[in-house]
Every structure is written in structure tokens, then in C-alpha cells.
Amino acid sequence: MARRFAAPVLLAVLSLVGLLVCIGCASQQGTGGDAVSRCTRARVLSVNDGELTAEVLILEPPGDSSVAWGTFAKGEEGQADFSGWGTDELPAVGSDVVLTWIGAPDEESSFPIDVYDWKPTVDFYASLDEVREVRLTASMLTFMDQESDELAADFADVSDLALEARADGGDLVLVFTDGQLEDYRADIEGTLEGYAASLRESDEVASLKIADDHTGMTIAIAPALLDKPVLTGKAFMGIPGMCITLQALDGVADWQFDVTVIDAETDEEIGHATLPEESLTIG
């Protein structure tokens, strides 16, 4: 008996449910009196070049930031005033930015925001040394039957998953804070464990071992497992997808994944392949 398994597997990048949530205000002491410097993360909805204003939607700052944030409620929309800035210094529509202005310590944040400084959100967190970049290479995405531009758009729809997601040729570049990266890794590890558990619970699987560095798996199976395409498709091929994603989180670009299949009845090897160069034939 011989079976070939194709490589594609969906990347479970959006299993976290993301919402646009509340924002805050910084508590750094200003230069005069009781004034404080406040920060707000927002998405630019529209820009009026003539009036030097922008309509913005309040976003949530990542929870692990060392900056204290203020009192705008989640999803609030209002105007940001860029008076004194030139039209070529305004943020672009759709951009994710951190706006800074001066206010009183006990004062509620309110619109319009009188902006005296702003930065793209990634640049703001980079200045705090709180940015971590992950690259999912084109070969990884091809293996998982994914497109970099489509995944970048998916990440952009959920603002708290990452600070930024962009297509770079066929690669996907993700920018995280430390906390976001930890959450993303935990989500991928949880999905991997779910796939592994579904196989280990099968009567046709005698054992399953995944390498600690996520570079391979060895599975001992009864031949009857091959007649369960739903199980083998989702779980069996899902494991390499999650493992190479974890390799990417560890900075691996030239990834590989070894698959070894053992006949549980005879203890003989019935299939082996090093992905992505080889395809797996079992028989």
C-alpha cells in the first residue's frame, strides 16, 4: 500500500479573537506646571490636508508596554489636530500611529487631540526597544499554501495580534512587542499540541514524538490510519506547519522538517521524507 501526502497546511495565525480595544495616555511629566505628555495609539481614517486634521479610530496599545496610557475608550473616533504641521508631514490614511499631546494629569482624554508629535506605531515601540521582527519566508508560506499579502491583510484586520504585518516579496514580515510574540508563540504551540493530541488519542497511533527543536516528527501507526483522510490531513500535515512556524519564531530561515513513519505492528520504517525538498510516500 502506498500513499502520498501533499505539503500544504493552513497556518493558524488567526485563532486568537482580536478586537479593537481601549487606549491610554502617558504619565510622563511635561516641561511646564502640571502638564503631562500623553500618548494614544490610533488608526488614521481620513486626512484633511487643507485644515491639517485627521479623523482617527482609537486602538489598544500592547499590554506589555512600559508606557502608561490614558483614558480614551475602545473604538472611539474623533479628530486629531495637526496645526503647525505641513501637509507633507501628516500621517497617511490607514496608518497605525501613536499620537502625543499635552494635557492635565487628572483631565479625561477628549477630542480634538492637539497633536504636538506623532510616530508610526512600530517606530514608537522601536524607540523603547520593544520591537521583535519575525520573517515567514516564501518557502514556508508555499508549503502551507498561504500568500504573504493575504496574511498581511488578515493581521491588519486584528490590531492587537502584531504591531505590523507586511508582505516583502513572497515573505511575510511580522513585527511584535515581546508580549505579543509570547502570545503568538503560545497560540501556535497550543495549536500544535491540539494536532498532536488528536493523533495520540487515535487507536491507530502507537506513538508520536516531535523533536524539541521542532525540526521533525516520528510516528508509529497502524495501516488503518491511512484510510482516515480527515485525521491524516488535518493533524498529520498540521504538525509540520506549526513546527516550521515555531522555527521562524526562533529566527530560522532555511527550515526543514523530517517525517519518519513506523509500522506499529512490525516496527519497520515505512516512510521518510525531509520537507520541503521531498514528498512523503508511505508503503
Side-chain angles (χ1 to χ4, degrees):
M1 169 166 42
R3 300 290 176 89
R4 290 181 68 85
F5 291 87
V9 60
L10 293 178
L11 174 63
V13 293
L14 295 177
S15 59
L16 295 175
V17 178
L19 297 173
L20 301 177
V21 287
C22 63
I23 189 64
C25 146
S27 59
Q28 255 179 319
Q29 184 66 33
T31 56
D34 292 329
V36 293
S37 177
R38 299 181 169 216
C39 292
T40 290
R41 183 184 176 201
R43 175 162 295 146
V44 180
L45 302 178
S46 65
V47 174
N48 187 319
D49 292 337
E51 297 183 1
L52 297 178
T53 60
E55 293 297 315
V56 299
L57 169 71
I58 301 302
L59 302 177
E60 180 185 27
D64 58 314
S65 174
S66 60
V67 176
W69 300 80
T71 56
F72 276 113
K74 67 176 182 179
E76 277 194 77
E77 295 183 19
Q79 187 180 86
D81 187 349
F82 289 84
S83 297
W85 296 73
T87 56
D88 58 346
E89 299 175 294
L90 300 180
V93 174
S95 57
D96 189 325
V97 298
V98 173
L99 307 176
T100 309
W101 76 102
I102 297 295
D106 299 327
E107 185 180 35
E108 290 291 312
S109 302
S110 61
F111 291 107
I113 301 170
D114 187 8
V115 178
Y116 79 82
D117 192 19
W118 73 272
K119 289 182 179 179
T121 297
V122 171
D123 292 348
F124 176 83
Y125 281 92
S127 70
L128 305 176
D129 193 28
E130 294 183 4
V131 164
R132 306 290 176 259
E133 186 172 289
V134 172
R135 181 177 293 268
L136 298 178
T137 64
S139 65
M140 291 177 175
L141 299 182
T142 298
F143 175 81
M144 295 182 285
D145 197 26
Q146 298 287 340
E147 297 288 339
S148 59
D149 53 351
E150 293 178 358
L151 286 174
D154 289 340
F155 268 92
D157 288 339
V158 188
S159 66
D160 58 344
L161 289 181
L163 292 179
E164 182 181 59
R166 67 179 185 274
D168 183 12
D171 296 353
L172 175 68
V173 178
L174 302 172
V175 182
F176 300 100
T177 65
D178 288 334
Q180 287 176 326
L181 183 55
E182 289 174 6
D183 289 343
Y184 184 66
R185 179 185 292 276
D187 188 49
I188 298 300
E189 288 175 341
T191 302
L192 172 61
E193 182 54 37
Y195 286 145
S198 69
L199 284 175
R200 291 185 176 120
E201 291 167 1
S202 169
D203 293 336
E204 288 81 20
V205 175
S207 65
L208 170 66
K209 180 175 176 55
I210 299 172
D212 292 339
D213 60 359
H214 305 107
T215 58
M217 61 181 277
T218 300
I219 183 170
I221 66 172
L225 178 66
L226 302 179
D227 295 323
K228 296 186 175 182
V230 173
L231 177 62
T232 57
K234 181 178 180 181
F236 185 82
M237 293 312 301
I239 288 175
M242 296 303 99
C243 283
I244 67 173
T245 302
L246 290 169
Q247 288 184 44
L249 299 189
D250 291 331
V252 175
D254 297 326
W255 66 278
Q256 66 176 36
F257 191 81
D258 291 318
V259 181
T260 301
V261 182
I262 305 296
D263 187 321
E265 297 176 355
T266 65
D267 203 32
E268 294 180 354
E269 182 179 300
I270 58 175
H272 180 270
T274 298
L275 306 172
E277 289 83 5
E278 303 171 344
S279 58
L280 180 62
T281 300
I282 301 175

